Amino acid sequence: MPQSQPKFVILDRDGVVNLDSDHFIKTPDEWVPITGSLEAIATLNQAGYRVVIASNQSGIGRGLFEMSALNAMHEKMYKALANLGGRVEAVFFCPHTAADNCDCRKPKPGLFEQIGERFGVELRAVPVVGDSLRDLEAGVAVGCIPHLVRTGKGAKTLAKGGLPAGTRVHDDLAAFAQWLIAGDHAHKSPAP
Ligand SMILES: [Mg+2]
Ligand SMILES: [Zn+2]
């Protein structure tokens, strides 16, 4: 594999990085990382991956919380990550509701297109990790490889079926990170 292009991983946020809630995550206090998820991001970073988040945040469009609250949640995440030597490059989010009919609300691929433009990367074969079908559909629309985690809504999503072809299932983000990095080693190490 050519190493000219930096390696990227694109993550959904709620239900992948932090615990999800049917009542929306509205404050920094409600933003609680899933056990091992921040460590997993740090592990990905150490293996040379740049991690970007793509997240639907319709709670803004619904008036449930302000941009300032979203920024405060992400400050909490960045600080907690920094303590572990980890880093998320950026959080791309859609603030709209379904009624807005925007181009960025997943399963539409607008957030992914924004990521590709911002970092000047081709997203083909970049892993996308989500707990909902729409996360995977948005990624697959731009050529990403779909990975479902069982955390958040993941177990329900898996039970419903209809996942994009080639979707791999992992217990959580930590299991995904281990799997991805083990694959890197398998490709790079000469056969015994
Ligand atoms: Mg989610
Ligand atoms: Zn949008």
Side-chain angles (χ1 to χ4, degrees), residues 93-97 100 102-105 111:
F93 63 92
C94 164
H96 308 112
T97 66
D100 291 327
C102 67
D103 293 326
C104 47
R105 182 171 159 82
L111 293 178

Side-chain angles (χ1 to χ4, degrees), residues 12-18 20 54-56 106 129-132 134-135 151-154:
D12 177 45
R13 197 197 78 174
D14 300 330
V16 174
V17 179
N18 56 278
D20 201 3
S55 177
N56 283 357
K106 297 183 282 186
V129 185
D131 68 322
S132 296
R134 63 189 178 185
D135 305 324
T151 49
K153 297 182 174 74

Side-chain angles (χ1 to χ4, degrees), residues 41 66 90 123 131 167 182:
I41 291 170
E66 303 280 333
L123 294 182
D131 68 322
T167 300

